[in-house]
């Protein structure tokens, strides 16, 4: 820290000008020729039904219609971690909105009109709309074929039930520890489903050329994973698929993996030569991508008088929806980490992925941690109260530190958790009671700590290519996605630091799988760390090439050569100052004979966490190293409750996160400011509501309100803690998701502090709070 | 039945034939090729399709193309025909946007505010962009950058040229 030229300094985003001028192109902005076709899907009106017949006759008569396709024509299955999903529903539909057919037409209007005219005959089946119902012995089985679905080795499906995966973790002896504990506290917390609500809806354009190559332009976090899943599902070779991902208008996990894009890719194979566009409406965006899963969490905590938490039993029942090909890994991630960032000797975790007839659950910023943290951090405040301890002190005392056993037995990475706790507490004047501004307005303070690890396969890899241009500027190609988090700029800063070239002179391109190196996906807040390591390696290789050429042409010792201010210099020779622009393409001239050494400088780099493994005991979860590291943090919040209306005003949020090394501090602050508001919205007003037939009641921004510029807290204080991650680029680790994780319990804890009531269900709307204060909780 | 209309878009005159149901947002994007106004909800909720129509912000997803025959549309491309305005410079300098999908709409709402109110308060800025949803930024960096542009420049929406 402090010793770097570009890393650790707030740097304006290198994509800033693209974004403020309208130059940034998103998938729907790309221009195609007059042969562009448009697709629209036919969606199921039923949550659970058998498809008896599909009659496309009327739809085919609509002028401009090219083809109507169903699951009979395109009988493909797919899935990231478990192959339980279909390009089109085949025998049965499992949620309202599921695609059963599609129309391809010359214009969007013709496609939409025709899609309404496809006649589908259904026989309704009992719909299972919540996890508790789905877990009953006699519950309708949503996936009778569960036993046959291929899945990753760390999933444990229970065939002939609705349990798609059951993650167990056992450490120590919880029963004995509860028996010994001075205080035992037990309760249940519920968290509903949420929508990502990125402002750009999903969009895809796909084209199968007459030569048999499939090109797919997608609004995606995952170009390589999409290519792989398209290849698997459609039976094509990877070399014959090219996925191009221009800028993405927000992801938050919703554009990870594959959802509607595979419909576009499959449709394109039926109209060779034509590009086919599929663009989700906002309503489809709500109903048929991924949703954040709902969860019911049962918590039992035991502690000693001194505040030591000795035992935790945490049971999570996830409403995972109709398909869990991605969502089951959210369940898994929570199931090995639902202790929070605490050292607890006796732990018993059960995390159950339960099929329901609601839209598929999937990754959402926080990946299960936001969901379990609501209950856990609410519960810890109540435990502190029982013990007569200060809630911040309770967390400090139990905070996990480097080398402590993680829930699954491996050691904890270096972490600035105690510093984060102290700084967040200080920033909100923890312990100082603020006067109530009016008799009916009460002030409260809340506190919470959090952690999160990237959840990904143990061998998720990153690759990077780097080349110099004639003027000494640099191009980097990588396949992490710029989702808005500032990835491109961070990669430029990492290369800049190694090559002594300013970030503004480095272009980092968005992915094209024909050209850019591999990246598993841009998820899990891991690309700054993983792709950053690959870029660091590529830049280091390029640097070696430059220094080696100078060494061979001029004879300076390699060890004496270094890069500074876009020049090669030598500690042995103050006279040496070779501008990079003169040598990085044309080579270095040997003064002795006029020959040139070196040549165009190109670097490549790669990274894979070679220490990770998901092999562990299925009954205890012990023995593996599934997570590469945890990022930790803590936050405090001050709010006002109007007891006459239940209305809340958030005065201040201070959130501290351990970035290891912030590559670009302004981007880390941006993650904090954005994550805080997204997190607040989940607790203050958002939630997805369904009727008793499984229909989503609020699939618009009119009814699913996300915050506007008038809904922000009075003050947000971003705090960056930096305890280096030893295997991170310059010590960096990711922070993107973490910043929204603690907001829900922060609000619940502050409300309790202000007015003495404890709410155990999200969201905590003004209405719910008012009714609770009024003595009529729902 | 198609209608002949004439639109002025970012200073250029565009004769177009449109259907009565054609929406301005789609006409701008697919017929004129100006793609900065974005579809986000297509029902007036999100503001990502915002354009200036005769100098006032409108949601172009709610406007029929036939209604604006003879009128003038300015998009963010038109704001910076000869280089960035100070408003845009400050938004870049402060890394105000993340994904940038909302940016064209936000910038036009801010430009309209600054045209009417050269010295806005923080709350004025919040109100002016309250119709533009942004899921990424928490709005704070955008509001700060607009205020910084006002502080630093006599006319933050003039073309710097
Ligand atoms: S697209 Fe026009 S307001 Fe959302
Ligand atoms: S920057 Fe992503 S929506 Fe505003």
């Amino acid at each position: 820290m402090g010793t770097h030229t570009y890393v650790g300094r707030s740097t304006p985003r290198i994509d800033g000008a693209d974004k403020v001028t309208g130059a940034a192109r998103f998938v729907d902005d790309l221009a195609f020729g007059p042969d562009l076709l448009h697709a629209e899907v036919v969606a199921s009106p039923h949550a659970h039904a058998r498809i008896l017949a599909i009659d496309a006759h009327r739809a085919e008569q609509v002028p401009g219609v090219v083809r109507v396709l169903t699951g009979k024509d395109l009988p493909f299955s797919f899935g990231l971690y478990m192959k339980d999903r279909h390009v089109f529903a085949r025998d049965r539909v499992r949620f309202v909105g599921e695609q059963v057919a599609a129309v391809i037409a010359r214009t969007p209007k013709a496609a939409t009109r025709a899609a309404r005219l496809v006649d589908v005959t259904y026989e309704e089946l009992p719909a299972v709309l919540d996890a508790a119902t789905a877990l009953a012995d006699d519950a309708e089985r949503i996936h009778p074929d569960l036993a046959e679905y291929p899945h990753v080795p760390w999933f444990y499906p229970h065939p002939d039930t609705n349990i798609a995966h059951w993650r167990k973790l056992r450490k120590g002896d919880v029963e004995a520890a509860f028996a010994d504990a001075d205080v035992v506290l037990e309760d249940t917390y519920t968290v509903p489903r949420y929508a990502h609500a990125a402002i750009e809806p999903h969009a895809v354009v796909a084209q199968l050329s007459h030569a048999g190559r499939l090109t797919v332009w997608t609004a995606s976090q995952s170009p390589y994973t999409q290519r792989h899943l398209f290849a698997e599902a459609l039976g094509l070779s990877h070399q014959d698929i090219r996925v191009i991902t221009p800028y993405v208008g927000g992801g938050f996990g919703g554009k990870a993996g594959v959802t509607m894009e595979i419909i576009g890719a499959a449709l394109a194979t039926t109209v060779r030569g034509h590009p086919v566009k599929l663009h989700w409406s906002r309503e489809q965006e709500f109903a048929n991508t991924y949703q954040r899963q709902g969860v019911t969490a049962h918590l039992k905590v035991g502690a000693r008088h001194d505040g030591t938490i000795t035992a935790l039993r945490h049971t999570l029942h996830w409403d995972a929806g109709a398909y869990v090909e991605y969502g089951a890994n959210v369940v898994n991630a929570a199931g090995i980490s639902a202790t929070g960032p605490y050292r607890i000797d006796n732990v018993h975790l059960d995390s159950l992925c339960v099929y329901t007839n609601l839209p598929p659950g999937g990754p959402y910023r926080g990946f299960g941690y936001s969901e379990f943290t609501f209950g856990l951090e609410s519960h810890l405040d109540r435990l502190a109260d029982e013990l007569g301890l200060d809630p911040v002190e309770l967390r400090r005392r139990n905070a996990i530190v480097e080398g402590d056993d993680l829930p699954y037995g491996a050691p904890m990475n270096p972490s600035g958790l105690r510093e984060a706790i102290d700084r967040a507490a200080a920033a909100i004047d923890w312990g100082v009671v603020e006067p109530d501004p009016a008799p009916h307005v009460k002030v409260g303070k809340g506190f919470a700590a959090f952690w999160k690890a990237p959840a990904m396969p143990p061998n998720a890899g990153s690759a990077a290519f780097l080349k110099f241009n004639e003027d000494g500027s640099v191009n980097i190609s990588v396949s992490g996605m710029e989702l808005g988090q500032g990835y491109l700029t961070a990669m430029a800063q990492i290369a800049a630091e190694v090559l002594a070239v300013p970030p503004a002179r480095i272009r980092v391109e968005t992915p094209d799988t024909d050209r850019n190196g591999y990246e598993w996906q841009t998820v899990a807040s891991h690309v700054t760390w993983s792709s950053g390591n690959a870029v660091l390696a590529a830049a280091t290789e390029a640097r070696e090439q430059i220094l080696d050429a100078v060494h061979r042409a001029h004879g300076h010792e390699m060890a004496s050569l270094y890069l500074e201010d876009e020049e090669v210099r030598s500690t042995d020779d103050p006279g040496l100052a070779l501008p990079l622009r003169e040598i990085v393409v044309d080579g270095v001239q040997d003064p002795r004979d006029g020959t040139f050494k070196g040549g165009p400088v190109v670097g490549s780099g790669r990274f894979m966490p070679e220490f990770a493994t998901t092999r562990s005991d299925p009954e205890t979860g012990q023995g593996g190293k599934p997570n590469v590291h945890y990022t930790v943090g803590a936050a405090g919040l001050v709010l006002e409750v109007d007891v006459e209306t239940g209305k809340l005003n958030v005065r201040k949020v201070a959130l501290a996160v351990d970035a290891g090394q912030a590559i670009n501090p302004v981007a880390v602050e941006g993650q904090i400011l954005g994550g805080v508001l997204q997190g607040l919205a989940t607790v203050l007003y958002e939630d997805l509501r369904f009727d008793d037939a499984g229909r989503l009641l609020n699939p618009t921004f009119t009814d699913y309100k996300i915050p506007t510029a008038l809904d922000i807290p009075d003050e947000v204080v971003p705090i960056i803690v930096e305890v280096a991650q030893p295997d991170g680029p310059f010590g960096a680790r990711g922070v993107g998701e973490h910043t929204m994780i603690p907001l829900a319990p922060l609000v619940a804890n502050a409300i309790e502090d202000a007015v003495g009531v404890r709410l155990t269900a999200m969201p905590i709307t003004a209405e719910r709070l008012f009714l609770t204060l009024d003595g009529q909780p729902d | 039945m198609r209608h002949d209309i004439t639109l002025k878009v970012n200073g250029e005159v565009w004769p177009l034939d449109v259907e009565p149901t054609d929406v301005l947002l789609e006409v701008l994007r697919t017929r004129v090729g100006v793609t900065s106004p974005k579809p986000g909800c297509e029902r007036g909720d999100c503001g990502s399709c915002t354009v200036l129509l005769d100098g006032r912000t409108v949601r172009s997803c709610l406007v029929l193309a036939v209604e604006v025959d003879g009128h003038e549309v300015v998009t963010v491309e038109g704001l910076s025909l000869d280089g960035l305005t100070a408003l845009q410079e400050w938004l870049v300098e402060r890394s105000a946007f993340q994904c940038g999908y909302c940016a064209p709409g936000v910038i036009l709402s801010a430009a309209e505010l600054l045209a009417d109110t050269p010295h806005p308060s923080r709350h004025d800025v919040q109100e002016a962009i309250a119709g533009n949803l942004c899921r990424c930024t928490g709005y704070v960096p955008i509001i700060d950058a607009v205020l910084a542009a006002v502080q630093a420049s006599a006319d933050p929406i003039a073309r710097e040229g």
Side-chain angles (χ1 to χ4, degrees), chain A residues 425-447:
Chain A
I428 60 157
D429 295 320
W430 182 258
V432 178
V433 178
E434 316 270 343
D436 294 331
H440 65 288
V441 179
K442 309 284 181 201
V443 179
K445 292 184 181 179
F447 199 84

Side-chain angles (χ1 to χ4, degrees), chain A residues 38 101 149 238 285 316 365 583:
Chain A
H38 300 267
Y149 297 150
H238 290 71
E285 186 70 20
L316 298 154
R365 187 180 199 175
I583 61 173

Side-chain angles (χ1 to χ4, degrees), chain A residues 19-64:
Chain A
K19 289 178 174 174
V20 301
T21 57
R25 287 274 185 272
F26 299 81
V27 167
D28 194 53
D29 300 340
L30 303 176
F32 293 86
D35 59 344
L36 176 67
L37 299 176
H38 300 267
E40 184 55 273
V41 301
V42 179
S44 166
H46 301 297
H48 201 192
R50 233 185 287 284
I51 300 172
L52 299 182
I54 302 179
D55 180 356
H57 187 73
R58 287 197 303 151
E60 281 162 351
Q61 307 311 309
V62 173

